Amino acid sequence: MRIRIPKGQLFVNASIDSSHGCHPNMRGHGAGLISISKDGHGGTIHCESTKLSLNTKSTAETELVTMSDYASQALYIGGFLTEQGYPNVQVILEQDNESTIALVRKGRSTAKATRHIAIRYFWLHDRLVRGDFELLHVAGTEIRADLLTKDLRGAAFSNCRLKINNWE
């Protein structure tokens, strides 16, 4: 079986999600799914789900750390496709936490609750300003990485599985 990459505009979609404080030692859990497509709805080519290596104080911080970890893989795939001669490769990071999106767009903490977050997680702001990726808010019920971070059952599990495999 081969991966066939279509001609023209390509989208590298990274669906990134996390769960805060879900492990016995109160660490978070992060996951990312990456797909390549012509219309933004391709099948998954890379997925990863891991426990975070550090404790975080809030859901927004957990999501920011997870985004920092998984965005580099999406940007790498986008750069690889560009170097292979595919023009018009657009990387899109999907995030369901609006506070995390605000932190990335501002590039720094502006609230007392997030002042402690290390500057190393704000490299995404520089890449966003450069235009290396587009940041897209996706509703919590629609984000594909939910399957890797939450205990989904019934219809929620079936719907998420359909999205991940592009069977809709």
Side-chain angles (χ1 to χ4, degrees):
M1 184 159 88
R2 288 189 278 175
I3 295 176
R4 294 179 190 223
I5 301 175
K7 302 275 189 225
Q9 174 79 41
L10 285 180
F11 295 94
V12 176
N13 288 68
S15 176
I16 302 168
D17 196 28
S18 65
S19 290
H20 177 68
C22 60
H23 289 283
N25 62 357
M26 297 310 293
R27 292 210 171 145
H29 192 91
L33 292 166
I34 300 173
S35 63
I36 299 174
S37 67
K38 193 171 185 172
D39 60 358
H41 302 288
T44 302
I45 63 160
H46 174 82
C47 72
E48 191 174 347
S49 179
T50 59
K51 182 167 67 170
L52 295 183
S53 60
L54 67 154
N55 285 330
T56 54
K57 289 177 77 175
S58 67
T59 302
E61 184 181 5
T62 303
E63 295 272 2
L64 183 62
V65 169
T66 303
M67 252 185 98
S68 178
D69 291 346
Y70 291 102
S72 56
Q73 183 69 24
L75 291 168
Y76 169 78
I77 291 171
F80 177 78
L81 290 171
T82 301
E83 291 298 320
Q84 296 301 311
Y86 292 95
N88 305 323
V89 176
Q90 184 176 3
V91 177
I92 299 171
L93 302 183
E94 299 173 354
Q95 176 57 248
D96 65 348
N97 189 300
E98 292 184 39
S99 297
T100 302
I101 291 172
L103 284 169
V104 171
R105 288 204 168 122
K106 290 176 186 172
R108 60 187 168 83
S109 170
T110 57
K112 186 177 181 179
T114 56
R115 280 191 201 143
H116 66 279
I117 297 176
I119 193 70
R120 73 178 233 175
Y121 299 110
F122 289 105
W123 68 273
L124 285 168
H125 172 75
D126 296 334
R127 300 297 293 265
L128 181 64
V129 169
R130 277 189 2 203
D132 291 347
F133 67 90
E134 181 183 328
L135 190 53
L136 181 67
H137 178 261
V138 177
T141 57
E142 297 297 316
I143 196 150
R144 295 175 298 146
D146 251 2
L147 187 64
L148 302 173
T149 61
K150 314 278 187 304
D151 183 21
L152 300 180
R153 295 168 190 222
F157 173 81
S158 296
N159 290 337
C160 203
R161 186 183 63 187
L162 290 174
K163 285 181 212 156
I164 287 173
N165 293 308
N166 195 26
W167 291 343
E168 295 183 281

